[in-house]
């Protein structure tokens, strides 16, 4: 087991902020040029040359500053390490928004030890907003401490979500949303899991859920949410993870998590 001193964890948080800011600047500069776009798993699962350049820059910075650390990155820039620290990177979370020019995408950087995320940062390259947190140290938007969403009843709650790339999965997820809409205040689909989780942390959403995420989608954002006092869940007594990540304030959590479980929101992740 790897154990770090509090000042070392603080250093990881600061480095995560530096990484997210630097990659965010790279992405912002590149957004004004012609984009080279290709598809990955489906025709709606997009990747650009900017995604790859952002990831390459992040990996290179980690290699320079912390050569013993491991890396898990969305576009394949991972490597093994010896320090016990692993960086989980999403060079652009919300690539479709990036391609379309919608200002809702982010660079997400998280540091984990033995599978536990201990520090993270999420930067919106358009607004320059920087969300960051460390385990036990609270979460922040810039220098402002985040306290989570308002206390609100389920029937008034505004909930964020997202959808998978495969048509069959999206169809099943849409059926869940159709049932959910009749029992909550409203739905928002903004296109970046990392920013949605941060939106719950700062009160722009009352809650959020999504099935079938990858670790780089939620690692930093889930820490920001939990350190703001939010509860996270994977439903059915599971921790938040790839199968399901749900987050909201503690007052709303029992009703929202029970409803998502009733509707089987965590059972729509596997493609036929």
């Amino acid at each position: 087991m790897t154990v770090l001193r509090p000042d070392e964890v603080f250093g990881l948080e600061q480095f995560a902020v530096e990484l997210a800011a630097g990659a965010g600047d790279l992405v912002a500069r590149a957004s004004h040029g012609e984009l080279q776009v290709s598809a990955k798993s489906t025709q709606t699962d997009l990747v650009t040359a900017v995604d790859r350049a952002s990831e390459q820059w992040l990996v290179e910075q980690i290699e320079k500053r912390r050569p013993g650390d491991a890396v898990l990155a969305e576009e394949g820039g991972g490597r093994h390490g010896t320090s016990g620290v692993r960086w989980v990177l999403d060079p652009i979370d919300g690539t479709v928004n990036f391609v379309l020019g919608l200002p809702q995408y982010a660079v997400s950087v998280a540091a984990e030890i033995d599978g536990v995320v201990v520090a993270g940062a999420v930067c919106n390259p358009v607004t320059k907003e920087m969300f960051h947190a460390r385990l036990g140290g609270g979460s922040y938007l810039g220098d402002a401490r985040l306290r989570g969403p308002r206390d609100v009843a389920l029937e008034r709650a505004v909930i964020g979500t997202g959808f998978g790339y495969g048509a069959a999965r999206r169809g099943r997820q849409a059926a869940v949303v159709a049932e959910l809409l009749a029992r909550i205040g409203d739905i928002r689909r903004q296109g970046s899991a990392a920013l949605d989780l941060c939106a719950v942390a700062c009160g722009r959403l009352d809650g959020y859920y999504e099935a079938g995420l990858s670790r780089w989608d939620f690692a930093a954002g889930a820490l920001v949410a939990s350190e703001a006092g939010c509860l996270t869940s994977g439903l059915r007594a599971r921790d938040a993870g790839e199968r399901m990540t749900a987050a909201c304030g503690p007052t709303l959590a029992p009703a929202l998590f029970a409803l998502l479980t009733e509707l089987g929101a965590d059972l729509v992740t596997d493609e036929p």
Side-chain angles (χ1 to χ4, degrees):
M1 172 182 271
T2 303
V3 179
L4 297 185
R5 302 188 309 271
D7 63 301
E8 292 177 306
V9 177
F10 177 73
L12 293 177
E13 180 187 13
Q14 295 302 107
F15 189 33
V17 168
E18 291 179 36
L19 290 169
D25 287 343
L26 183 158
V27 171
R29 291 193 302 271
S31 68
H32 302 295
E34 183 176 348
L35 300 179
Q36 301 175 33
V37 184
S38 56
K40 296 192 293 185
S41 62
T42 73
Q43 290 302 306
T44 57
D45 183 9
L46 303 182
V47 63
T48 71
V50 184
D51 291 79
R52 296 190 174 100
S54 174
E55 180 171 298
Q56 181 179 353
W57 184 88
L58 289 166
V59 173
E60 287 175 350
Q61 297 306 306
I62 294 168
E63 288 176 344
K64 289 178 184 177
R65 295 271 295 274
R66 298 185 59 90
D69 292 356
V71 174
L72 173 68
E74 180 177 13
E75 307 307 335
R79 62 186 177 88
H80 298 292
T82 58
S83 68
V85 175
R86 184 173 75 161
W87 294 91
V88 183
L89 310 175
D90 195 334
I92 303 179
D93 182 52
T95 298
V96 173
N97 284 353
F98 173 67
V99 170
L100 294 174
L102 296 171
Q104 186 75 5
Y105 51 89
V107 176
S108 177
V109 177
E112 63 180 22
I113 298 173
D114 299 327
V116 176
V117 177
V118 299
V122 177
C123 175
N124 182 326
V126 181
T127 65
K128 304 301 182 185
E129 289 182 315
M130 178 68 72
F131 299 89
H132 58 98
R134 69 182 181 278
L135 190 63
S139 64
Y140 296 82
L141 171 52
D143 295 328
R145 183 75 179 259
L146 300 180
R147 302 294 183 182
R150 60 184 178 165
D151 287 339
V152 63
L154 182 65
E155 59 268 22
R156 293 179 51 224
V158 177
I159 306 299
T161 192
F163 304 102
Y165 293 114
R169 181 186 296 179
R170 287 203 309 270
R172 296 195 298 274
Q173 290 173 322
V176 170
V177 169
E179 294 288 334
L180 188 67
L181 264 172
R183 299 166 69 174
I184 63 171
D186 210 342
I187 282 282
R188 294 291 182 271
R189 195 280 198 260
Q190 302 183 98
S192 166
L195 288 178
D196 281 343
L197 286 161
C198 292
V200 178
C202 69
R204 295 173 186 171
L205 290 172
D206 297 314
Y208 164 79
Y209 78 96
E210 188 165 349
L213 295 174
S214 296
R215 189 158 186 80
W216 45 74
D217 296 317
F218 66 84
L223 179 67
V224 171
S226 62
E227 285 296 320
C230 302
L231 298 184
T232 63
S233 176
L235 307 184
R236 304 176 201 272
R238 299 187 184 97
D239 292 334
E242 287 86 348
R243 186 182 187 93
M244 166 60 66
T245 296
C248 63
T251 302
L252 182 61
L256 179 60
F257 294 166
L259 178 55
L260 291 173
T261 301
E262 175 191 331
L263 298 178
D266 60 329
L267 303 179
V268 294
T269 61
D270 298 322
E271 298 292 354

